[in-house]
Amino acid sequence: MRETIKLCSADLNETVFKNVMFLSLAEDGAMGEPGEVCFYVRSGEAYHFNYIWGDVDMRKVEKLFPPLSECVFGMFGLDSEVPQGWNYVNLGMGNHLIVNDAVYGRFMELLGAVEESSVVYGKWRGLAEQIFAIN
């Protein structure tokens, strides 16, 4: 796994969110790291912040990355909605992933027939990195 760039509120700007291909968000009661936001941009760089344990205000994030403000994450991932150009992947237990159309086909091809959200939760970052190693 490549090193993840840790962000705080002062680091956030439109440039950081330019070309996001994958973005995961953990609800405040999620399994794993509650409040975690992790995303990969087209260049393959990975970023991380936590809106519970850090100083990041999600309203600021939604202004800088408008697709997130249009997402509706349903309970247990059911009936979740994402804007055009994005695809929803349920990571289970309060964890959500949105994937840009530009990489979604390849992501699903690499993922294969996995149906368990907990398995996808454990694999998605490695698959994202495989995609960027190819590009």
Side-chain angles (χ1 to χ4, degrees), residues 67 70-73 80-89 97-99:
E70 297 178 45
C71 291
V72 177
F73 299 125
S80 292
E81 299 175 15
V82 295
Q84 187 173 0
W86 293 90
N87 302 273
Y88 179 77
V89 178
L97 176 65
I98 61 172
V99 182

Side-chain angles (χ1 to χ4, degrees), residues 99-134:
V99 182
N100 191 290
D101 277 350
V103 293
Y104 182 71
R106 181 69 178 137
F107 175 75
M108 293 306 291
E109 179 183 311
L110 290 170
L111 183 60
V114 173
E115 294 180 16
E116 293 289 326
S117 56
S118 59
V119 174
V120 180
Y121 175 87
K123 294 179 82 168
W124 82 265
R125 292 179 191 186
L127 297 178
E129 292 188 11
Q130 283 183 46
I131 291 169
F132 296 123
I134 293 168

Side-chain angles (χ1 to χ4, degrees), residues 55-97:
D55 67 346
V56 173
D57 181 340
M58 287 304 288
R59 291 175 296 214
K60 178 179 181 179
V61 174
E62 289 176 349
K63 286 180 184 171
L64 295 170
F65 183 60
L68 187 58
S69 68
E70 297 178 45
C71 291
V72 177
F73 299 125
M75 187 174 286
F76 304 114
L78 301 174
D79 300 321
S80 292
E81 299 175 15
V82 295
Q84 187 173 0
W86 293 90
N87 302 273
Y88 179 77
V89 178
N90 186 359
L91 298 179
M93 301 297 198
N95 295 284
H96 310 281
L97 176 65

Side-chain angles (χ1 to χ4, degrees), residues 29-44:
M31 297 291 281
E33 182 185 334
E36 175 187 42
V37 175
C38 180
F39 60 98
Y40 285 80
V41 296
R42 187 179 300 276
S43 65

Side-chain angles (χ1 to χ4, degrees), residues 9-57:
S9 185
D11 300 323
L12 302 181
N13 57 53
E14 288 178 352
T15 303
V16 171
F17 291 101
K18 188 174 183 180
N19 296 316
V20 171
M21 296 288 110
F22 295 89
L23 185 137
S24 71
L25 181 137
E27 296 177 21
D28 56 358
M31 297 291 281
E33 182 185 334
E36 175 187 42
V37 175
C38 180
F39 60 98
Y40 285 80
V41 296
R42 187 179 300 276
S43 65
E45 291 176 305
Y47 295 91
H48 171 274
F49 63 85
N50 190 302
Y51 64 88
I52 295 173
W53 306 112
D55 67 346
V56 173
D57 181 340

